[in-house]
Amino acid sequence: MAGTGVIEPAAQSSTAQNLSRRRFSHDIHGISPDEIDGLMCSSNGRPFLVVHHLSEVQDEGIPFLMPGVPITCRVDNTEKYTTRSKVRVGTLYTVQLTHGHFHWSVKRKYKHFQELHRDLYKHKMMLHLLPLGRFLKDRQQLRAMSEEMPSLHGTERTRRTSSKMKYLEEYLNGLLENSFCRSDHSMLEFLSVGALSFVTDLGPKGLEGPIFKRSGGHRIQGLNCIGHHQFCFRWSRRWLVVKDSFLMYMNRDNGSINFVLLLDPEFKVKVGRSYTDTKYGVCIENFTRSLIIRCSSYRQTHWWSHEINRLTETCDFLKVQRFEGFAPPRENTLTKWYVNGSGYFADLADALEQAKEEIFITDWWLSPEVFLKRPATDNYWRLDEILKRKAEQGVKVCVLLYKEMEMALGINSEHSKRTLMNMHPNIKVMRHPDHVASVIFMWAHHEKTVAIDQTVAFVGGIDLAFGRWDDSQYRLTDLGLAETASPTGDAVDNGLSGGPKPLEPDMQAKEKDLDDLTGNIKLWLGKDYSNFIRKDWVQLDKPFEDNIDRTLVPRMPWRDLSAAVHGKAARDVARHFIQRWNFTKIFKNKYKDEFYPYLLPKSHCTADSLSFTVPGSSKAKVQVLRSADRWSTGTNENSILNAYIHTIENSEHYIYIENQFFISCADDGKTIYNGIGDAIVKRILRAHREQTKYRVFVVVPLLPGFEGDIRLGGGNAIQAILHFTYRTMCRGEHSILSRLREVEDLWTEYITLCGLRKHCLLSQSLVTELIYVHSKTLIADDRCYIIGSANINDRSMLGNRDSEMAVFVEDEDRVLSVMGGQEYQAGPLTLALRKECFSVLVGASSDPSVNVDDPISDEFFLLGWNASAKLNVNIYEKVFKCLPTNSVHNMRQLKEYASEERLCDTDPQQAKKELKAVRGLLVHFPLRFLCEENLLPPLNTKEGMAPVGLWT
């Protein structure tokens, strides 16, 4: 018993864990009396947790019908049908059933009533022949049961159809008042009732019944192997369940779900031998499978096909939605945006604590040891501890991670998987893709989502990983000492000028044991303190050892955005996760065992019943968007790209883009395919021709996020991304500025291209570092915005490469604002988001004299934004000789520039005076940096031999 029911305590430090093998390979079976009561006691329907306890429901004999809730029937219709002999005409009865708030109908012949009566009578006789004490109560209940089946022949009265229906109705209702009869297997099959019939969150009861299903039919390459194709298949008896947005079949004997088919635009139901290659066959298709089932008669095949179409006809997912997406816009959706990881992580931690049933997580990179609330004074808010705590409470935690090419990336998803799965059997982690089996070497699962109880979901650009937590202060230092204001206005560590000395690097490396965090005031522990352009992450299995010397190297601040959504939009996010999870379970052999369950989507008809909400949320129209392909999800979609282009084309006043990449401008299919840059060019030219004011703000990182010393050129990876970034912005015939020749030098009145930079004191020395912009955000006209995981490049946008997810939020309410000097009706959510972004970037949050109310006025665009960016560039270059810079056009100049003396070294006091004039964080992107060099990687390097699509 100890081996299956007791979990030994896990070590606090993940470095002590033995990750060489999976600790749990089986679920902990068994259910407590309190949990049994929880699954039974509800007159409004079963709780959703029944879905995850089907085997226990089977083993414990929990009745499928809700105890204490009457079930009534009404026989209200008859149909005539011809028997196989085509001589006798039979009667088919429609039985309308009600159980609580669930309503459904079944069609039965008279012989089905006879077979039911015979089976019940047989079971009754068996009880009498087995006079065991435990059957005493059943025998008492059975005494009230009629032994005679009401005859449908005989008297004049019984010859009338209405009387026959009445007799059957009274008979069936009499049986259903007997607790033994109503829970008998024969009765449940007669009523088409199963373990999932009355789970409220699965929606209406739907259609159920026994069928034979044929193996094979998968539309995924490699799954229809020998023994599973159309010439060699097998039939299996299963229980088919049809709900309002999916169907599934299960093994009725052991309660296991064998397959789930989600409704999608390719969903079709076909009847006939020509489609099924079998008599009485029904073919049910979607993007991923053609499922063949066999019925018992011609009539039953048409009944199944008719009822499936009737039940699913109102499903949103059968239609291609706006932007060619899978989910429609959801009005009156509670939503909230986040700028930076601090608020996002804190709300996410609180939401995880509220989980009662399921937690779904997708990430490009996940660090189990990341803290969600800071500074951490214990391990309570550490991600792995939160998930373990919820798993111990019975919550099912499902995590999908990108399985990286280890030679190219060091994110160590194997460590993440083992660490989490060794904590509790309720935590399941899948990695995808298998690069060799799927022939996918270059593309990644890039989405970052969390869905909780399919009720609240978080979507955006923030992985639950090291380096992501930050706030609007964008600190460059974290030595764990009290902070005061520096002469430059930045926070510095108090101990650097006479206070306690910081720990030496070798002492920091020994700070591995985080059992006791009492008194800790560090915000970034161990590898969470990062500067990945200086040094990429290594040895992630030792998470609490510093990766860089924090006394000498400033951290690289991380700017990112995310969003929370509720209700139907959250169900859409969860549905996407379920689609990916079930797809991965089918595709990878190691996940086909029952330890990795099939997941079921909740019905949207119960989505407005929110068990909790994220504080500070407001209502808006929300549409969930994605980039998906057959390799990643089993379907095709690029709705994020379509939404971006639509928003740009239809914007009236401005767009604000904040993105990790800016690689666009199509070139007739030679190199770049996404048309975001083209849409920007067309919109600016339209404004120029119409002589209307229109602004484009673009904020990107000053350098790509690859390890490399920019003083030596940065390396091939950095230069490759810079090449395609400059190709989009200003270099070559396809670039935005080249195609704005019509506006000549006036392009600066329409578009501004910027990065972000910060400075600080570290170890009594002035330091500067770029702020890494990891956001994937578009804001337009103070009325709508897109937040997600998709970069502006082909990888993220085309759909057939990386998998991505985003939300398109449109304000439905209006507040009075100003635009171009005129009164303007803005959306409250979008306006607040834009002001939050702009206030920090131009320094308005610390200088009330800077007004960000009117984003397109000359005063703001030319003086508040562009003048600040130009001023800051000049100051940083004077003080730090920053790279990249417009002063360096080739590698020779780069070498000379990097060797020049810096004011911060020769005259620190004067440097501090100069830095006082810095306004905000903006600096202009250096459009002429290395403009005389070919930045494409040499062909004789590994980067040069890689396909161009790797970089674009």
Side-chain angles (χ1 to χ4, degrees):
M1 290 297 292
T4 58
V6 178
I7 305 173
E8 69 269 26
Q12 289 286 330
S13 175
S14 64
T15 57
Q17 294 180 8
N18 178 13
L19 302 180
S20 60
R21 61 185 179 86
R22 204 166 90 192
R23 187 175 171 206
F24 301 107
S25 57
H26 300 284
D27 283 316
I28 296 179
H29 290 290
I31 190 168
S32 70
D34 289 341
E35 290 173 317
I36 292 175
D37 290 341
L39 297 180
M40 292 180 64
C41 62
S42 177
S43 59
N44 295 321
R46 302 285 194 192
F48 188 76
L49 276 175
V50 166
V51 170
H52 295 291
H53 293 286
L54 291 174
S55 61
E56 288 91 339
V57 167
Q58 193 87 3
D59 295 342
E60 298 292 334
I62 296 174
F64 292 169
L65 295 170
M66 295 177 286
V69 179
I71 178 169
T72 58
C73 77
R74 181 165 52 88
V75 182
D76 68 351
N77 191 24
T78 59
E79 301 173 27
K80 298 298 182 181
Y81 69 94
T82 305
T83 61
R84 286 182 186 176
S85 66
K86 299 185 180 180
V87 175
R88 182 181 174 189
V89 177
T91 302
L92 191 66
Y93 299 92
T94 300
V95 183
Q96 302 286 349
L97 294 143
T98 300
H99 185 46
H101 66 273
F102 294 92
H103 308 276
W104 73 103
S105 63
V106 297
K107 290 185 182 291
R108 296 291 181 259
K109 301 176 187 177
Y110 175 68
K111 74 169 187 177
H112 295 136
F113 286 86
Q114 289 179 310
E115 290 169 355
L116 172 65
H117 183 80
R118 184 174 62 248
D119 288 342
L120 291 173
Y121 187 77
K122 182 170 62 176
H123 295 165
K124 176 182 177 182
M125 290 299 99
M126 289 182 64
L127 285 179
H128 285 302
L129 295 172
L130 296 172
L132 301 177
R134 61 183 179 182
F135 294 135
L136 179 61
K137 185 177 180 181
D138 292 332
R139 286 195 292 273
Q140 292 172 345
Q141 293 168 343
L142 281 171
R143 291 195 184 107
M145 174 183 164
S146 169
E147 294 188 18
E148 296 295 332
M149 178 68 184
S151 174
L152 297 184
H153 309 284
T155 66
E156 182 67 26
R157 178 170 177 258
T158 59
R159 292 195 186 100
R160 296 195 300 273
T161 302
S162 60
S163 297
K164 295 176 185 178
M165 289 162 41
K166 187 68 175 175
Y167 265 122
L168 290 174
E169 183 177 305
E170 291 175 354
Y171 169 72
L172 199 53
N173 279 320
L175 292 180
L176 291 172
E177 291 176 1
N178 184 287
S179 62
F180 171 80
C181 295
R182 68 184 247 158
S183 60
D184 186 86
H185 175 83
S186 302
M187 174 62 81
L188 296 174
E189 191 155 319
F190 180 90
L191 300 176
S192 292
V193 167
L196 299 176
S197 296
F198 308 113
V199 177
T200 303
D201 276 327
L202 290 180
K205 180 190 170 297
L207 179 67
E208 298 180 63
I211 51 93
F212 283 89
K213 70 91 186 175
R214 195 170 79 183
S215 59
H218 294 281
R219 292 177 161 186
I220 304 166
Q221 185 178 3
L223 287 188
N224 294 312
C225 55
I226 295 174
H228 291 68
H229 55 70
Q230 60 179 339
F231 302 109
C232 183
F233 50 76
R234 66 179 185 273
W235 293 95
S236 305
R237 181 178 172 85
R238 294 291 183 261
W239 183 261
L240 185 67
V241 178
V242 183
K243 293 291 185 178
D244 58 3
S245 72
F246 72 94
L247 60 84
M248 50 154 279
Y249 57 78
M250 60 191 297
N251 187 322
R252 199 163 165 86
D253 295 331
N254 60 22
S256 63
I257 297 174
N258 301 122
F259 183 74
V260 178
L261 187 145
L262 299 182
L263 271 59
D264 60 35
E266 282 200 12
F267 181 80
K268 299 180 186 68
V269 182
K270 303 174 183 176
V271 176
R273 183 181 289 275
S274 60
Y275 298 110
T276 64
D277 255 351
T278 187
K279 192 176 183 181
Y280 306 142
V282 178
C283 175
I284 306 168
E285 290 184 348
N286 76 343
F287 269 122
T288 58
R289 189 172 184 185
S290 294
L291 173 64
I292 307 295
I293 65 172
R294 189 175 68 204
C295 302
S296 60
S297 66
Y298 174 82
R299 177 197 59 79
Q300 191 184 31
T301 61
H302 284 273
W303 163 249
W304 273 102
S305 64
H306 175 270
E307 285 300 290
I308 291 172
N309 284 323
R310 183 185 65 81
L311 284 167
T312 59
E313 62 185 355
T314 60
C315 177
D316 290 329
F317 303 106
L318 290 180
K319 300 184 284 288
V320 176
Q321 303 293 340
R322 183 178 63 164
F323 308 132
E324 299 183 16
F326 80 106
R330 308 292 187 181
E331 296 180 348
N332 296 313
T333 297
L334 280 172
T335 184
K336 181 180 181 178
W337 50 258
Y338 300 91
V339 180
N340 302 314
S342 57
Y344 170 70
F345 277 6
D347 275 2
L348 176 59
D350 292 336
L352 290 171
E353 284 291 284
Q354 297 293 324
K356 299 293 189 294
E357 300 157 350
E358 298 170 326
I359 295 171
F360 300 155
I361 300 174
T362 63
D363 266 325
W364 178 81
W365 178 26
L366 182 146
S367 304
E369 305 85 3
V370 70
F371 287 92
L372 300 188
K373 291 192 178 184
R374 307 185 185 193
T377 55
D378 55 36
N379 286 310
Y380 189 86
W381 293 113
R382 208 171 85 182
L383 178 61
D384 54 358
E385 292 296 324
I386 296 173
L387 298 182
K388 178 185 177 184
R389 189 160 60 245
K390 300 313 294 183
E392 291 171 342
Q393 295 170 11
V395 176
K396 301 297 181 179
V397 180
C398 298
V399 182
L400 277 169
L401 297 179
Y402 165 54
K403 184 177 181 181
E404 76 282 10
M405 292 283 290
E406 294 179 9
M407 67 180 69
L409 283 172
I411 56 178
N412 201 343
S413 63
E414 174 70 11
H415 165 75
S416 302
K417 177 181 178 179
R418 297 294 182 190
T419 300
L420 292 178
M421 290 190 65
N422 283 351
M423 304 196 86
H424 196 278
N426 276 343
I427 300 177
K428 327 277 188 179
V429 183
M430 290 185 184
R431 297 192 301 157
H432 187 263
D434 267 346
H435 303 285
V436 176
S438 61
V439 201
I440 299 298
F441 298 100
M442 293 202 301
W443 315 135
H445 287 296
H446 194 243
E447 61 220 54
K448 305 97 169 48
T449 67
V450 180
I452 298 165
D453 293 343
Q454 302 191 40
T455 299
V456 176
F458 296 83
V459 178
I462 308 177
D463 287 293
L464 302 180
F466 290 147
R468 271 60 175 170
W469 190 98
D470 219 319
D471 58 22
S472 60
Q473 295 187 47
Y474 300 113
R475 298 170 180 84
L476 302 186
T477 66
D478 186 31
L479 295 172
L481 300 171
E483 294 183 343
T484 59
S486 75
T488 61
D490 295 302
V492 296
D493 285 284
N494 185 11
L496 298 181
S497 54
K501 292 184 68 176
L503 294 173
E504 297 299 324
D506 59 336
M507 293 181 64
Q508 291 185 46
K510 296 177 182 177
E511 286 192 305
K512 303 175 188 177
D513 190 357
L514 291 196
D515 288 348
D516 185 10
L517 286 169
T518 305
N520 170 63
I521 59 173
K522 283 184 181 177
L523 296 174
W524 296 274
L525 297 169
K527 293 196 168 50
D528 210 5
Y529 184 95
S530 63
N531 188 320
F532 48 89
I533 292 181
R534 298 282 190 95
K535 182 182 179 183
D536 206 350
W537 281 280
V538 294
Q539 293 185 310
L540 290 170
D541 55 339
K542 299 176 181 179
F544 301 116
E545 292 185 11
D546 279 1
N547 198 48
I548 54 177
D549 185 349
R550 63 177 73 204
T551 66
L552 300 176
V553 181
R555 67 176 291 271
M556 182 172 290
W558 189 278
R559 182 173 170 86
D560 220 329
L561 281 86
S562 195
V565 296
H566 300 71
K568 292 180 180 178
R571 295 268 160 102
D572 294 338
V573 175
R575 184 182 182 86
H576 170 75
F577 179 93
I578 290 167
Q579 185 176 10
R580 268 197 59 197
W581 177 273
N582 291 346
F583 173 82
T584 304
K585 175 177 171 60
I586 294 169
F587 192 84
K588 294 187 69 171
N589 283 324
K590 67 189 297 183
Y591 300 139
K592 289 183 179 179
D593 61 41
E594 292 184 8
F595 183 74
Y596 295 91
Y598 278 102
L599 300 177
L600 302 182
K602 290 185 177 181
S603 172
H604 280 61
C605 69
T606 62
D608 293 332
S609 178
L610 303 177
S611 55
F612 70 96
T613 59
V614 175
S617 298
S618 303
K619 287 189 176 180
K621 183 192 293 183
V622 177
Q623 184 176 2
V624 177
L625 310 169
R626 63 182 180 177
S627 294
D629 190 51
R630 291 193 179 273
W631 79 263
S632 61
T633 314
T635 187
N636 302 103
E637 184 173 329
N638 63 342
S639 55
I640 302 176
L641 173 62
N642 296 334
Y644 262 77
I645 293 175
H646 169 88
T647 303
I648 294 167
E649 290 177 342
N650 291 276
S651 59
E652 291 298 323
H653 304 286
Y654 80 88
I655 58 168
Y656 172 70
I657 289 174
E658 193 174 306
N659 206 285
Q660 181 186 6
F661 290 88
F662 194 53
I663 298 175
S664 187
C665 297
D667 54 4
D668 300 323
K670 297 177 182 177
T671 309
I672 309 295
Y673 296 86
N674 81 83
I676 292 174
D678 307 271
I680 292 172
V681 169
K682 290 175 184 176
R683 184 61 190 87
I684 291 175
L685 291 177
R686 188 184 111 196
H688 179 67
R689 290 161 188 162
E690 295 174 354
Q691 293 298 294
T692 56
K693 191 166 290 187
Y694 183 77
R695 315 291 197 190
V696 176
F697 303 84
V698 178
V699 175
V700 293
L702 290 169
L703 287 173
F706 295 93
E707 181 180 337
D709 189 344
I710 192 61
R711 295 171 300 178
L712 302 177
N716 291 331
I718 287 178
Q719 289 187 17
I721 298 300
L722 284 176
H723 167 83
F724 289 107
T725 303
Y726 283 126
R727 179 202 166 281
T728 303
M729 291 180 174
C730 58
R731 298 179 191 173
E733 60 179 324
H734 300 289
S735 69
I736 290 173
L737 297 191
S738 295
R739 292 166 64 185
L740 290 178
R741 287 186 297 268
E742 181 179 324
V743 305
E744 297 178 339
D745 293 338
L746 296 178
W747 68 265
T748 56
E749 294 186 10
Y750 293 100
I751 185 169
T752 176
L753 304 162
C754 293
L756 305 178
R757 183 171 285 282
K758 186 79 185 293
H759 65 276
C760 190
L761 275 175
L762 175 62
S763 298
Q764 300 177 338
S765 297
L766 284 168
V767 293
T768 185
E769 188 54 87
L770 64 88
I771 296 172
Y772 193 69
V773 178
H774 191 261
S775 322
K776 298 92 170 55
T777 300
L778 171 67
I779 305 175
D781 293 344
D782 284 356
R783 289 183 177 174
C784 64
Y785 58 87
I786 298 173
I787 292 177
S789 66
N791 296 312
I792 295 181
N793 58 17
D794 283 355
R795 290 187 65 114
S796 288
M797 289 293 175
L798 296 186
N800 59 2
R801 299 186 180 185
D802 292 355
S803 67
E804 309 284 1
M805 177 148 283
V807 289
F808 183 32
V809 180
E810 300 168 274
D811 273 299
E812 297 177 292
D813 298 328
R814 293 290 181 262
V815 294
L816 187 63
S817 183
V818 61
M819 188 75 70
Q822 304 294 318
E823 285 191 357
Y824 182 72
Q825 294 294 317
L829 263 174
T830 312
L831 178 64
L833 173 59
R834 197 264 303 162
K835 282 188 172 183
E836 170 66 22
C837 292
F838 282 19
S839 295
V840 173
L841 300 192
V842 301
S845 54
S846 57
D847 183 358
S849 67
V850 181
N851 190 325
V852 299
D853 290 345
D854 189 343
I856 68 170
S857 68
D858 289 345
E859 179 184 359
F860 176 77
F861 187 75
L862 300 177
L863 301 177
W865 186 279
N866 277 326
S868 295
K870 182 178 180 180
L871 171 69
N872 293 345
V873 165
N874 292 335
I875 295 172
Y876 279 123
E877 290 193 0
K878 183 177 182 180
V879 173
F880 294 106
K881 295 290 182 181
C882 290
L883 290 171
T885 174
N886 280 325
S887 303
V888 171
H889 298 172
N890 53 53
M891 297 303 292
R892 179 183 59 77
Q893 292 177 356
L894 176 63
K895 184 177 180 180
E896 293 171 356
Y897 187 83
S899 63
E900 292 179 9
E901 291 185 332
R902 305 186 306 166
L903 183 63
C904 61
D905 299 323
T906 60
D907 192 346
Q909 294 307 312
Q910 180 61 32
K912 291 175 184 178
K913 290 180 182 179
E914 298 283 351
L915 289 169
K916 286 181 179 179
V918 169
R919 289 160 42 186
L921 307 171
L922 285 171
V923 291
H924 275 137
F925 198 88
L927 299 179
R928 296 191 297 276
F929 179 62
L930 294 180
C931 59
E932 297 175 3
E933 297 287 342
N934 178 10
L935 297 179
L936 281 175
L939 293 177
N940 61 349
T941 64
K942 62 179 182 180
E943 292 86 359
M945 288 185 284
V948 172
L950 180 69
W951 311 108
T952 63

